[in-house]
Amino acid sequence: MAYAEKVYKVRNGKKTKQYTWKAKYKRPDGSYGSGSGFDSKTAAEAWGREQERQIAAGDWIDPEKHGTTFGEFARTFMESRRKRGRTVGTRWDRLENHILPRWEHSPMRQITWFEVDSWQQTMEVEDVTRGHCVSLMSTIMTAAVDAGYIKVNPLYARRRTRDTSGDGAMPKPSKVGTDGTVRPEDAILVAERLGPAIGIHVLTTAFAGPRWGEGLGLHRDRTLLTRRQPHGNGYFECPIIRIVEEYAEYQQRDEQGNKLGYIVQLEPTKNDGSTRDVDLPPFLALLLGYHLDDWPHERPFSTQTGKPWRRGNWSKVFRPAADGREERQRRRGVSYRAAWEPILPGLDMRALRGLHDTLQAQIGVKEPLAFEAAGHRRPGIKRHYQKPTPEMRQERLDGLQEVFERAMFNLGMTTLWGRVVLRKGTSWR
């Protein structure tokens, strides 16, 4: 039961006759909380009874938490959520670079959707980054509701306002080529230019679709395994790669968000849909077999020293192959380097992964298998009922093989890297 008691003011170390009233009320854990500074006993008791009413109704917020700022709780949230290292690093980057400069000192109970929506429209970043920042803010605010800091999350399920005027209404230029289209011929030409040790990584991404980190994390013991699935009165078999882990490169931080330097380390795959076996078309299985015979390291797509590629070092190798380079004359201490004409400026490994998914749509790969091969979790109830069949798998393999053979024919090529003849019959048309 709430009650009130006098609190005498003190001046020069001595109690005076002046006083205010303090409210006392029973908290959920049985202890007594208080609120001070009331002018009358009636006001103090009324405030205390209101706290107990809210506690009984289940919507009470501890007054000690009322002034908690977004920045304070965001750090509490980051300390309590143990995610993959890459995810933690990305969250800290968005907090430090975009969110906290605006919201760090704002009391959470004063944050409104109108203010957040207005702010995100002023961010000088791509719209997808704006969405990610608002989504992270909403996640943190929902956690604050669960932790008893605020009653509701004003950002939950709200639709952002997008800029549809001026430059915001203009189509964004493609990062790859002129229209964003990547051809299988482009992947083959870049792979040929890079040579077998690096080019096989390019082809595997284009025709099997592993993510960048998944390709780096592939182990030779999980490369060219065999899928054996009952089919009719026998079995369907095909070569596969097994993806169960990936390399992630990110800014490492401690629990308070302090930067500790960049690292590259193995992590579990992104989610349950990412851990998968991917069927390999015959040409790719053949080339991977030759590569494993030559490659001395446990990771097939590592550097020449067996270490995982860092993005910066990979870019120095990959970018000239796609974008082209100028001729370099021989001089003292520097060898001659021939010029390369551009193949597809802007091409990157993400676009090559996108090529794989595009090819799956082109050749009509059924949804259960298309989602599985791409490492995506299929939405809806159908994922529990529809499963890939051997017929679906063979149809995908035949389709990818035909796409590759046709691209080789279009380029007038019969071998890759001058070492493996891949022609079947007399024509690939």
Side-chain angles (χ1 to χ4, degrees):
M1 182 69 179
Y3 63 93
E5 59 184 27
K6 292 179 180 178
V7 178
Y8 286 91
K9 296 181 180 181
V10 175
R11 185 178 295 114
N12 298 325
K14 296 181 178 180
K15 186 171 70 172
T16 68
K17 295 181 178 181
Q18 296 178 323
Y19 59 87
T20 58
W21 290 91
K22 177 192 291 186
K24 301 286 285 187
Y25 64 94
K26 184 171 289 188
R27 298 163 59 94
D29 61 2
S31 63
Y32 275 88
S34 63
S36 302
F38 296 97
D39 293 334
S40 67
K41 179 179 180 181
T42 300
E45 290 177 339
W47 186 86
R49 286 194 296 270
E50 175 61 17
Q51 303 309 303
E52 292 183 343
R53 185 199 67 77
Q54 292 180 13
I55 291 171
D59 59 359
W60 176 74
I61 300 295
D62 190 338
E64 294 179 2
K65 297 180 178 180
H66 277 183
T68 303
T69 64
F70 181 87
E72 291 170 342
F73 185 77
R75 289 176 171 81
T76 300
F77 171 85
M78 292 298 294
E79 289 180 18
S80 65
R81 294 298 188 271
R82 305 311 304 164
K83 293 286 189 178
R84 300 182 333 141
R86 176 67 179 173
T87 302
V88 172
T90 300
R91 284 180 168 180
W92 272 118
D93 287 343
R94 289 172 183 155
L95 283 168
E96 287 191 344
N97 296 330
H98 305 296
I99 301 174
L100 292 182
R102 168 60 180 85
W103 300 103
E104 179 167 12
H105 303 297
S106 299
M108 283 190 297
R109 60 189 177 89
Q110 295 180 6
I111 295 176
T112 67
W113 169 244
F114 178 82
E115 291 177 315
V116 173
D117 191 38
S118 300
W119 160 74
Q120 64 89 19
Q121 294 178 69
T122 67
M123 295 173 65
E124 296 181 355
V125 294
E126 292 184 352
D127 187 68
V128 65
T129 302
R130 297 177 187 176
H132 289 159
C133 289
V134 173
S135 177
L136 178 55
M137 279 193 71
S138 181
T139 298
I140 294 173
M141 296 287 279
T142 296
V145 173
D146 296 338
Y149 284 81
I150 52 178
K151 293 182 179 181
V152 295
N153 172 12
L155 314 187
Y156 180 74
R158 302 302 295 267
R159 179 173 295 181
R160 293 185 301 116
T161 302
R162 288 176 168 81
D163 187 4
T164 57
S165 63
D167 293 340
M170 299 296 291
K172 301 299 185 292
S174 170
K175 295 180 180 179
V176 181
T178 57
D179 60 358
T181 301
V182 182
R183 306 174 303 156
E185 289 84 354
D186 299 321
I188 292 171
L189 288 173
V190 171
E192 171 74 9
R193 178 173 280 180
L194 288 171
I198 301 177
I200 187 62
H201 189 181
V202 171
L203 284 181
T204 301
T205 303
F207 287 92
R211 298 177 178 90
W212 165 249
E214 293 172 347
L216 298 183
L218 184 66
H219 196 283
R220 66 184 304 122
D221 292 344
R222 293 186 286 271
T223 305
L224 296 185
L225 301 179
T226 299
R227 181 189 299 280
R228 195 166 189 264
Q229 184 175 350
H231 178 48
N233 60 356
Y235 290 90
F236 166 80
E237 295 184 347
C238 72
I240 62 168
I241 56 174
R242 178 162 294 161
I243 297 173
V244 300
E245 57 190 355
E246 62 180 297
Y247 269 105
E249 179 180 355
Y250 57 91
Q251 174 77 63
Q252 191 178 27
R253 298 172 183 262
D254 61 19
E255 292 183 351
Q256 287 72 45
N258 299 313
K259 296 179 180 179
L260 303 177
Y262 279 90
I263 63 170
V264 178
Q265 70 175 20
L266 276 174
E267 293 185 345
T269 51
K270 189 173 182 180
N271 51 50
D272 56 355
S274 298
T275 299
R276 64 196 186 279
D277 294 342
V278 182
D279 305 332
L280 302 176
F283 82 88
L284 188 54
L286 175 66
L287 292 173
L288 278 169
Y290 278 97
H291 177 61
L292 291 181
D293 289 342
D294 294 343
W295 198 244
H297 306 296
E298 64 178 12
R299 308 284 174 178
F301 302 144
S302 60
T303 65
Q304 293 287 346
T305 60
K307 296 181 179 180
W309 284 96
R310 287 186 176 266
R311 291 182 180 273
N313 292 336
W314 173 263
S315 181
K316 292 177 182 178
V317 174
F318 186 86
R319 288 265 53 85
D323 301 345
R325 69 184 184 193
E326 296 181 353
E327 181 183 29
R328 185 179 67 191
Q329 298 296 330
R330 182 185 179 190
R331 61 184 185 273
R332 186 174 182 179
V334 179
S335 61
Y336 173 78
R337 186 183 70 186
W340 282 347
E341 290 296 321
I343 294 175
L344 185 60
L347 179 68
D348 56 21
M349 298 298 278
R350 185 172 185 177
L352 288 170
R353 171 170 156 81
L355 170 62
H356 166 256
D357 212 34
T358 299
L359 292 178
Q360 291 198 123
Q362 174 183 310
I363 63 180
V365 178
K366 305 300 187 295
E367 274 200 3
L369 182 56
F371 276 86
E372 176 193 278
H376 295 151
R377 190 170 184 264
R378 188 183 181 191
I381 193 64
K382 291 297 184 182
R383 74 171 177 268
H384 299 293
Y385 289 95
Q386 297 180 352
K387 306 298 180 183
T389 65
E391 286 84 357
M392 294 180 191
R393 297 187 185 280
Q394 189 61 57
E395 183 181 34
R396 173 180 173 275
L397 296 177
D398 292 343
L400 291 175
Q401 182 75 17
E402 181 180 354
V403 167
F404 173 78
E405 293 176 354
R406 186 177 299 278
M408 291 285 286
F409 178 83
N410 292 340
L411 295 171
M413 297 172 61
T414 59
T415 66
L416 275 171
W417 309 306
R419 54 174 287 183
V420 181
V421 178
L422 295 166
R423 180 185 290 276
K424 289 198 325 183
T426 58
S427 175
W428 283 339
R429 285 177 292 180

